[in-house]
Amino acid sequence: MTASTEQNGPNAAEAFRSLEDEIRSAVGVRLFTVLAWLPERRVLRRVHSSHPGQYPVGGEKTVEVSSGWLEQCIDRQLPYLGADRAAVREVFTDHRTIDALGCGAVINTPVVGSGHTLGLLNVLHAERSYDQAAVQRVSALTYQAVPALRACVTHYDRTSN
């Protein structure tokens, strides 16, 4: 089951579902979420989830991950590869939930539009499922999320003021 909030609009929901399907075909995925970056609050807000029971749309992550990860993915706009459970445990406080879903590898790729980080794609699968080639394949698909993620960020910017 996949969910995207209706407030993000049917176009955003469809774009994220389509991208999830493409990533599943390209590298495989058990858990897929899309997070919008809200820089004024330094918060990541979930706008799409393949597992809304465990990772509901609308949930927010403050800096609950390691600061190095945030700097790498958000500030420097570089992907992160956590190839095994140890790497996932090092970075994410929700590693037990991730493990319970059978995930032990993660690719986090920034979605960038006009030079600004709009958010992240989070792609998770079984331990050791991903390598640098998988990171490159996922990174090459992030452009597809730009319009929908930009709309989500704009929506949250408008509603927070």
Side-chain angles (χ1 to χ4, degrees):
M1 176 189 279
T2 300
S4 289
T5 60
E6 285 307 310
Q7 63 194 13
N8 294 330
N11 292 341
E14 182 55 38
F16 295 142
R17 278 193 296 272
S18 177
L19 180 56
E20 180 181 343
D21 290 344
E22 272 201 62
I23 289 172
R24 182 171 281 107
S25 294
V27 298
V29 63
R30 287 188 182 167
L31 170 62
F32 178 73
T33 64
V34 180
L35 300 172
W37 174 240
L38 306 175
E40 67 286 347
R41 293 179 41 221
R42 293 197 58 80
V43 165
L44 291 161
R45 183 176 182 107
R46 195 171 305 107
V47 296
H48 177 83
S49 177
S50 64
H51 287 72
Q54 295 89 347
Y55 291 99
V57 169
E60 292 187 350
K61 289 184 175 229
T62 54
V63 186
E64 65 180 53
V65 293
S66 74
S67 61
W69 176 89
L70 199 67
E71 179 188 346
Q72 177 176 333
C73 292
I74 299 297
D75 299 334
R76 295 177 38 221
Q77 301 174 334
L78 297 171
Y80 171 79
L81 170 63
D84 57 29
R85 282 186 170 85
V88 170
R89 240 186 337 269
E90 265 180 44
V91 175
F92 301 102
T93 60
D94 59 341
H95 60 85
R96 287 185 183 90
T97 304
I98 292 169
D99 191 54
L101 291 172
C103 299
V106 62
I107 298 171
N108 305 115
T109 56
V111 177
V112 179
S114 302
H116 300 285
T117 303
L118 300 172
L120 295 171
L121 303 181
N122 303 303
V123 181
L124 294 93
H125 209 330
E127 186 171 36
R128 302 196 194 292
S129 293
Y130 301 137
D131 56 15
Q132 286 300 325
V135 172
Q136 290 173 346
R137 286 194 294 278
V138 171
S139 294
L141 296 172
T142 61
Y143 76 92
Q144 294 180 37
V146 170
L149 202 47
R150 188 185 317 270
C152 292
V153 169
T154 299
H155 169 79
Y156 291 122
D157 281 346
R158 276 193 314 245
T159 58
S160 68
N161 293 329

